[in-house]
Amino acid sequence: MPDAGADLSRLHVVVPVRALRGGKLRLADVLDEEHRTALVTGLLRHTMAVLSNWPEATAVHVVSPDASVLPVARAAGARPLLQPDQGLNEGILAARAVALAAGATAMLILP
C-alpha cells in the first residue's frame, strides 16, 4: 500500500513573532519592559538555535510586523519576513507564500 503521508522533503518552519517589545505582559509584576524584551529576544534566539540544529528543517522563516525582529532572526540564520500588516493569520499567509515560492513541500508553524 503506498504511503499517503505528507511530503516532508522540503519542510519549512515558520515562527511568527508579534514584537520584541511589549510582550509577556503577564510577567509585568515581576519583570519590567526591558527585561521582558530581553526574555522575548532570548526565547527567539533559543528557538532559532534549536531549529538550526534540526536537520529536517530545510528553512526557517521568522515573520513579524515589527522590523526590530528581523535582524535578530537574520543573525540566527532564519529568513526574516516583514509582514505589511498586523495579525497572526496574515503573517502566516505571507510566510506560506514565501515558503511555497522557495520550494517548500510542507510547513510547520511554531506560534
Side-chain angles (χ1 to χ4, degrees):
M1 177 192 268
D3 182 5
D7 178 3
L8 301 178
S9 63
R10 295 195 42 83
L11 175 65
H12 286 225
V13 180
V14 174
V15 181
V17 178
R18 184 178 312 167
L20 293 182
R21 297 187 68 79
K24 303 297 178 194
L25 289 176
R26 291 182 192 153
L27 297 174
D29 289 343
V30 293
L31 294 176
D32 62 21
E33 185 172 349
E34 181 180 339
H35 287 99
R36 291 192 321 272
T37 299
L39 175 62
V40 171
T41 303
L43 289 169
L44 176 57
R45 287 182 177 138
H46 177 74
T47 301
M48 295 299 98
V50 169
L51 290 171
S52 70
N53 289 312
W54 187 38
E56 284 79 7
T58 302
V60 177
H61 306 268
V62 173
V63 60
S64 179
D66 178 6
S68 69
V69 171
L70 307 185
V72 176
R74 188 176 293 109
R79 299 177 183 187
L81 174 62
L82 182 63
Q83 69 185 81
D85 48 17
Q86 299 287 325
L88 177 62
N89 291 337
E90 291 79 3
I92 291 170
L93 287 174
R96 179 182 181 267
V98 169
L100 287 173
T105 60
M107 188 171 85
L108 171 66
I109 303 163
L110 296 180

